[in-house]
Amino acid sequence: MLDKLKELGSSIGLNPADWSEQDIEEQKLGWYPGHPTPDDPLRWGRTFPEGARETLQNTQMRRNLGYATGKIRTKRNTRVEELPDWEELREAGSLIKRNTLAHLPELLETFEQKVTERGGIVHWARDAAEANEIAYSIIAAKGVDEVVKVKSMATQEINLNSYLEERGIEAWETDLAEMIVQLSHDMPSHIVVPAIHRNRSEVKAIFEARMEGRPRFATNEPRELAMAARAHLRKKFLSAKVAISGANLGVAETGTLAVYESEGNGRMCLTLPETLITVMGIEKIVPSYRDIEVFSQLLPRSATGERMNPYTSFWTGVTEGDGPQEFHLILLDNGRTNVMKDEVGREALKCIRCAACMNICPVYRVSGGHAYNSVYPGPIGAILTPQLLNATDRKDPATSLPFASTLCGACYDVCPVKINIPEILVHLRHTITEANRGGLPNAWDVAMKGTSSVMSSGKKMERAGNAMKAGRLAAGRDRKIGHIPLPVAKEWTGTRDVPAPPATSFRTWWNDEHEETK
């Protein structure tokens, strides 16, 4: 009986023993425990409300997140205001990506042909399992037990690091933020700034505890920490025989790939090792080399508030005597063709992974990335993750993501390729609702049915308006209604106060105002 009570308390976050364990672990580590690597990076097994309930308790994380996203937003706005043709650039980016999706099969075939003509080897992967197996077979054939990596959302999505680790191969993340996440045994919480939830004191503690050689730092100044990371990574760059990267875009016309980054670690990975493996989602194609001009202006401004990225690397196949002499490209589907079938939802595939929607989102900025329980957090994750998983069953935690939004529209305003995220959120909510019709109705279904009946009749609305006046008594002197422990109502009033109903309804006011004109 006691065990069942403890289990129930843990499931709703009210087990004091769990709080003690977290406190003890935090004191032992010197930083707030991260989220361990899940089996499926697209679905960690919890709903958004359950995830948010946990992350909202981490005051330090919320403070770190608020500071960092505020700084990035300010820089982004400054750089965008410098461009008088910003809206035209957004429109151009949107049309290029829409055109790409309309002709994706032909463009991919052309891209494969061009990469092959320049000495590259193209592999096709239907899902994560196939992509991981292809990457592992290439690495195993080289006889190495470690590789270096460029920051890549595609490899995060397929859980490549864990797959390789289980087979005795260490994959070293070389992006500074990714390295912090990896050393702390954590999951990224932001697409561009994976360790955005950590502050410099936590990074210092992580480096001292987990970095090779266990360095000691006199201060937590960023320069001192960055120099230690630089020395640590330089050894990896010089010894690695195989590198793994993602790609920001691939040009069908020439077979060229591109990586935009800020630290130079990507350039080292793309040029020093003998073999390069690139994992790229099939939607990252653009038709022509000229299209690079548009995205090279949109991406850095939207992602980090820079006019251009410090390091932008392009490569086309293999060049004798220059860079890796063996190049493998893995083109990843992993649910993207399913997304293509939805005329509304497919717009999510226009995403260029800038994370501008996260930095502006009022929900993400408070709840943090781990609340989404997917490697793709924030507004873009709320529309991309359930579609990649083809999730429509209400029991699937991924179906809670489209409801994790206020629909304020800020994400649409800042999206550099004009993805109408609020429209897709509403579309997915409708799809999920329709897919779950039938069976026993829950409290929400009953409440919506009753509301629909009232709102479809003028007389019923009038009676309901009059009845609502009784709520003024419940509101009391401060004119606010607090927690109401009733089905549906408790979900709304559990986190916010409801203003007292007005003393006069609209109908009564209207009649009074127009009485004299009758």
Side-chain angles (χ1 to χ4, degrees):
M1 183 67 179
L2 184 60
D3 291 340
K4 288 186 177 179
L5 285 174
K6 288 181 178 178
E7 188 177 334
L8 177 63
S10 297
S11 67
I12 59 177
L14 293 175
N15 185 351
D18 292 344
W19 307 340
S20 299
E21 286 180 11
Q22 289 179 357
D23 291 345
I24 292 170
E25 187 178 1
E26 184 176 357
Q27 290 172 2
K28 183 179 176 183
L29 289 172
W31 65 88
Y32 192 82
H35 196 293
T37 305
D39 292 334
D40 184 355
L42 285 176
R43 182 165 42 201
W44 299 354
R46 295 189 302 175
T47 64
F48 178 82
E50 291 171 329
R53 197 173 293 125
E54 179 181 329
T55 55
L56 287 172
Q57 297 174 18
N58 187 347
T59 307
Q60 183 64 58
M61 182 279 291
R62 293 168 61 184
R63 191 178 296 126
N64 299 344
L65 199 60
Y67 175 79
T69 54
K71 295 282 284 187
I72 298 172
R73 281 202 314 278
T74 301
K75 287 179 65 179
R76 179 259 175 203
N77 293 342
T78 302
R79 296 296 171 235
V80 165
E81 289 171 1
E82 292 174 349
L83 290 182
D85 60 345
W86 177 252
E87 288 304 318
E88 287 79 4
L89 274 172
R90 288 182 73 209
E91 185 66 22
S94 175
L95 292 176
I96 290 169
K97 296 296 284 187
R98 194 171 290 167
N99 178 53
T100 298
L101 296 177
H103 301 91
L104 191 58
E106 306 94 286
L107 291 171
L108 284 170
E109 288 180 5
T110 303
F111 185 53
E112 179 186 25
Q113 177 190 342
K114 295 297 180 183
V115 172
T116 304
E117 287 176 357
R118 293 299 300 268
I121 302 169
V122 178
H123 310 263
W124 296 83
R126 284 172 293 193
D127 53 28
E130 284 192 358
N132 285 332
E133 176 56 33
I134 293 168
Y136 170 70
S137 64
I138 297 167
I139 298 167
K142 301 301 172 188
V144 300
D145 59 5
E146 64 177 22
V147 299
V148 289
K149 282 189 66 201
V150 188
K151 181 183 178 309
S152 158
M153 291 307 301
T155 58
Q156 290 276 1
E157 177 186 324
I158 62 176
N159 218 0
L160 179 59
N161 287 10
S162 296
Y163 187 90
L164 295 179
E165 185 179 2
E166 291 168 2
R167 287 154 182 80
I169 296 172
E170 189 79 33
W172 293 98
E173 295 289 351
T174 62
D175 174 86
L176 180 57
E178 284 285 3
M179 190 181 76
I180 294 167
V181 168
Q182 186 179 39
L183 290 177
S184 59
H185 302 165
D186 199 357
M187 286 295 288
S189 64
H190 190 278
I191 287 178
V192 175
V193 194
I196 197 170
H197 55 292
R198 300 287 184 195
N199 61 23
R200 64 174 74 172
S201 296
E202 290 179 297
V203 174
K204 173 177 177 287
I206 292 166
F207 279 10
E208 288 181 339
R210 299 276 173 79
M211 186 180 282
E212 283 185 345
R214 293 180 177 270
R216 308 304 298 177
F217 300 100
T219 70
N220 59 8
E221 287 300 312
R223 185 178 188 282
E224 189 176 358
L225 300 174
M227 290 300 288
R230 182 172 182 266
H232 165 74
L233 291 173
R234 186 57 59 101
K235 297 174 188 173
K236 302 299 178 187
F237 290 134
L238 294 176
S239 62
K241 302 295 183 186
V242 178
I244 299 173
S245 81
N248 290 102
L249 54 87
V251 182
E253 180 183 51
T254 60
T256 303
L257 291 105
V259 163
Y260 297 77
E261 42 117 5
S262 300
E263 300 168 11
N265 64 300
R267 180 72 56 82
M268 301 284 268
C269 290
L270 297 170
T271 55
L272 290 177
E274 298 167 359
T275 301
L276 173 62
I277 303 169
T278 298
V279 183
M280 188 182 88
I282 57 175
E283 83 282 15
K284 292 295 184 69
I285 292 286
V286 295
S288 70
Y289 206 86
R290 189 175 178 181
D291 297 329
I292 293 174
E293 174 198 349
V294 174
F295 296 104
S296 294
Q297 296 181 77
L298 289 172
L299 181 57
R301 284 178 168 82
S302 299
T304 53
E306 296 170 300
R307 294 188 180 95
M308 63 181 293
N309 285 91
Y311 295 90
T312 303
S313 301
F314 296 99
W315 71 100
T316 308
V318 175
T319 302
E320 187 176 351
D322 184 10
Q325 295 303 291
E326 188 172 326
F327 170 52
H328 295 265
L329 172 63
I330 301 174
L331 290 170
L332 177 68
D333 184 334
N334 207 32
R336 287 161 174 78
T337 48
N338 275 333
V339 182
M340 288 284 294
K341 295 174 185 174
D342 190 321
E343 292 185 2
V344 178
R346 74 173 60 154
E347 286 277 300
L349 295 179
K350 290 161 49 179
C351 177
I352 58 174
R353 308 287 191 270
C354 70
C357 61
M358 297 177 199
N359 301 329
I360 197 75
C361 177
V363 176
Y364 173 86
R365 286 189 283 129
V366 174
S367 62
H370 290 169
Y372 292 80
N373 297 299
S374 167
V375 75
Y376 294 114
I380 188 62
I383 60 172
L384 190 58
T385 299
Q387 292 196 91
L388 288 175
L389 295 169
N390 197 23
T392 56
D393 190 329
R394 190 176 286 165
K395 296 177 182 175
D396 189 329
T399 58
S400 67
L401 294 176
F403 298 88
S405 171
T406 63
L407 300 180
C408 67
C411 50
Y412 180 37
D413 292 339
V414 299
C415 178
V417 288
K418 302 182 74 170
I419 300 173
N420 194 334
I421 294 177
E423 181 182 73
I424 301 175
L425 286 168
V426 173
H427 169 70
L428 293 178
R429 292 179 185 187
H430 175 74
T431 302
I432 292 166
T433 301
E434 290 298 318
N436 289 276
R437 287 202 184 280
L440 291 175
N442 59 22
W444 185 258
D445 294 331
V446 174
M448 288 299 102
K449 190 71 176 177
T451 304
S452 173
S453 173
V454 172
M455 297 184 73
S456 60
S457 166
K459 290 183 178 178
K460 290 181 180 178
M461 277 292 289
E462 184 176 7
R463 287 197 290 270
N466 293 330
M468 288 297 291
K469 292 177 183 176
R472 293 178 62 80
L473 295 175
R477 288 184 177 180
D478 59 359
R479 296 292 183 265
K480 291 178 182 176
I481 299 175
H483 181 58
I484 302 175
L486 295 175
V488 180
K490 67 180 180 182
E491 302 293 338
W492 183 263
T493 58
T495 54
R496 58 182 72 79
D497 292 330
V498 178
T504 304
S505 70
F506 175 77
R507 288 173 180 274
T508 303
W509 172 84
W510 181 270
N511 291 335
D512 292 344
E513 287 293 312
H514 295 80
E515 185 66 30
E516 297 177 358
T517 61
K518 288 183 179 179

